């Protein structure tokens, strides 16, 4: 049985799996990300792939390709991680480094775009040619598909979290003021509510729960987040005309309390435009790993053609 390794590298942990050609995991593992000083150790990925090669043999299989996805600015055509803030990487030729060591067909991708690829191929937006995948968690980014093509722009496309939605808004981690991520992310909702109330909360879902219990501060923070998300998505709809917008990440777990008002707010801003369906992600936090598997199978096909 031919298997691929799907590896989702994060700043704190690495999620990896061996997937068959139908993307079913036959083995999965999770290890803490290893650093040398501030920099994530590339050799750990090489070692992990060697271990997965042995695991594949243990499952009566053979490892035939690898897909690795990372956060940051990733040029997936060249396999170079241009900039990974929480990895400590700059212009790292990751694909070349890993091929040198493993000699396997290999593709490098961006974690959110890979998650989008998975949602567009086997998840919540199957069968459409124009779609946006936007996970809303600590940060916000988007995967964009137009006319069946995934937009990459050498790794710079999709940074919707850093679209300014309020020039007088709070400071963003990127240095700008009023980015979507600084108002509408799950992290921002919890942070802004805690600032205004003077007491910490466990996260955005707790803010939603407090709002439903009649907390007016929570209602205002939630409403500002919804309007920020709708502002950025309206621009995306006007430019890209998606048929489906897939919302993922931690905030999507709040369900109707997010989707109801977000759909209404977005609808109120559109006139002649094509109405997108706004739906919850189908693959949860396994989307990026499944996307890494799809990239790995692409690498295998390319190597054999
Ligand atoms: Zn920003």
């Amino acid at each position: 049985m031919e298997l691929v390794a799907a590896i989702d590298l994060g700043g704190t942990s690495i999620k990896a799996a061996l997937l068959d050609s139908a993307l079913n995991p036959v083995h999965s593992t999770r290890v803490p990300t290893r650093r040398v000083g501030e920099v994530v150790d590339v050799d750990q990925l090489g070692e992990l792939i060697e271990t997965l090669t042995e695991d594949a043999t243990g499952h009566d299989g053979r490892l035939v390709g690898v897909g690795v996805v990372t956060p940051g600015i990733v040029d997936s055509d060249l396999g170079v991680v241009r900039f990974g803030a929480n990895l400590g990487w700059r212009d790292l030729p990751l694909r070349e480094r890993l091929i040198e060591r493993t000699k396997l067909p290999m593709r490098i991708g961006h974690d959110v775009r890979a998650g989008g690829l998975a949602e567009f191929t086997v998840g919540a937006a199957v069968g459409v040619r124009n779609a946006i995948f936007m996970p809303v968690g600590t940060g916000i980014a988007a995967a964009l598909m137009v006319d069946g093509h995934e937009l990459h722009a050498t790794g710079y496309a999709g940074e919707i979290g850093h679209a300014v939605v309020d020039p007088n808004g709070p400071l963003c981690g990127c240095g700008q003021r009023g980015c979507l991520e600084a108002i509408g992310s799950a992290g921002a909702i919890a942070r802004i509510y805690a600032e205004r109330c003077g007491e910490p909360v466990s996260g955005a879902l707790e803010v939603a729960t407090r709002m439903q219990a009649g907390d007016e501060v929570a209602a205002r923070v939630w409403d500002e987040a919804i309007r920020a998300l709708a502002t950025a998505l309206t621009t995306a709809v006007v430019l890209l005309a998606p048929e489906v917008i897939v919302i993922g990440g931690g905030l999507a777990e709040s369900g109707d309390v997010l989707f109801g008002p977000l759909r209404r707010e977005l609808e109120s801003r559109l006139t002649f435009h094509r109405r997108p369906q706004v739906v919850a992600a189908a693959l949860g936090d396994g989307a990026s790993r499944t996307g890494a598997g799809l990239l790995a199978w692409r690498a295998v096909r390319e190597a054999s053609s």
Side-chain angles (χ1 to χ4, degrees):
M1 175 177 44
E2 293 192 332
L3 298 168
V4 293
I7 301 174
D8 179 7
L9 170 67
T12 52
S13 70
I14 306 176
K15 290 179 278 183
L18 291 170
L19 306 181
D20 66 16
S21 58
L23 302 173
N24 298 311
V26 300
H27 170 82
S28 61
T29 179
R30 185 185 187 126
V31 290
T33 307
R34 191 169 79 205
R35 287 172 190 267
V36 180
E38 293 295 297
V39 181
V40 166
D41 187 3
V42 180
D43 286 336
Q44 186 186 15
L45 289 174
E47 290 163 23
L48 178 61
I49 294 165
E50 284 163 6
T51 306
L52 289 166
T53 304
E54 290 165 23
D55 292 331
T57 312
H59 285 82
D60 290 330
R62 189 167 62 90
L63 187 63
V64 294
V66 180
V68 180
V69 302
T70 84
I73 302 294
V74 183
D75 184 332
S76 38
D77 289 333
L78 294 181
V80 172
V81 180
R82 290 282 167 222
F83 178 64
N86 59 0
L87 305 176
W89 290 353
R90 238 180 207 292
D91 294 323
L92 177 77
L94 183 60
R95 182 166 175 268
E96 199 180 295
R97 290 274 300 274
L98 293 177
I99 287 179
E100 226 166 70
R101 176 159 180 168
T102 66
K103 318 285 184 216
L104 285 164
M106 175 99 43
R107 263 196 170 256
I108 308 300
H110 179 249
D111 53 3
V112 171
R113 285 201 303 275
L117 177 64
E119 291 287 350
F120 304 156
T121 311
V122 294
V126 175
V128 301
R129 290 172 59 77
N130 300 282
I132 294 175
F133 169 58
M134 186 174 82
V136 183
T138 317
I140 303 178
L144 313 168
M145 182 172 68
V146 176
D147 291 334
H149 300 290
E150 305 143 38
L151 302 188
H152 291 217
T154 61
Y156 287 89
E159 294 288 349
I160 195 170
H162 301 285
V164 174
V165 292
D166 177 4
N168 302 312
L171 263 184
C172 178
C174 76
Q176 186 54 270
R177 198 167 270 289
C179 291
L180 172 60
E181 187 167 300
I183 302 169
S185 65
I189 290 171
R191 191 168 53 245
I192 293 169
Y193 177 83
E195 277 166 17
R196 291 188 192 169
C197 274
E199 50 176 311
V201 282
S202 60
L205 298 188
E206 189 183 334
V207 177
T209 307
R210 290 187 181 211
M211 171 177 69
Q212 287 171 305
D215 182 330
E216 284 178 18
V217 178
R220 205 166 310 126
V221 172
W222 195 263
D223 181 56
E224 287 166 14
I226 297 283
R227 280 188 282 135
L229 291 164
T231 298
L233 283 176
T234 300
T235 305
V237 167
V238 168
L239 287 175
L240 305 171
E243 298 153 80
V244 180
I245 296 173
V246 182
I247 308 284
L251 202 64
E253 286 164 28
S254 56
D256 285 346
V257 72
L258 169 72
F259 286 94
L262 182 57
R263 287 181 186 124
R264 282 194 296 278
E265 189 65 34
L266 185 58
E267 171 70 29
S268 75
R269 294 167 190 227
L270 300 175
T271 55
F272 63 88
H273 313 89
R274 174 160 67 194
R275 261 55 180 174
Q277 275 182 279
V278 180
V279 302
L283 302 172
D285 68 355
S288 293
R289 201 188 64 181
T290 303
L294 285 162
L295 292 176
W297 283 115
R298 271 187 194 173
V300 173
R301 280 196 302 275
E302 282 164 7
S304 64
S305 66

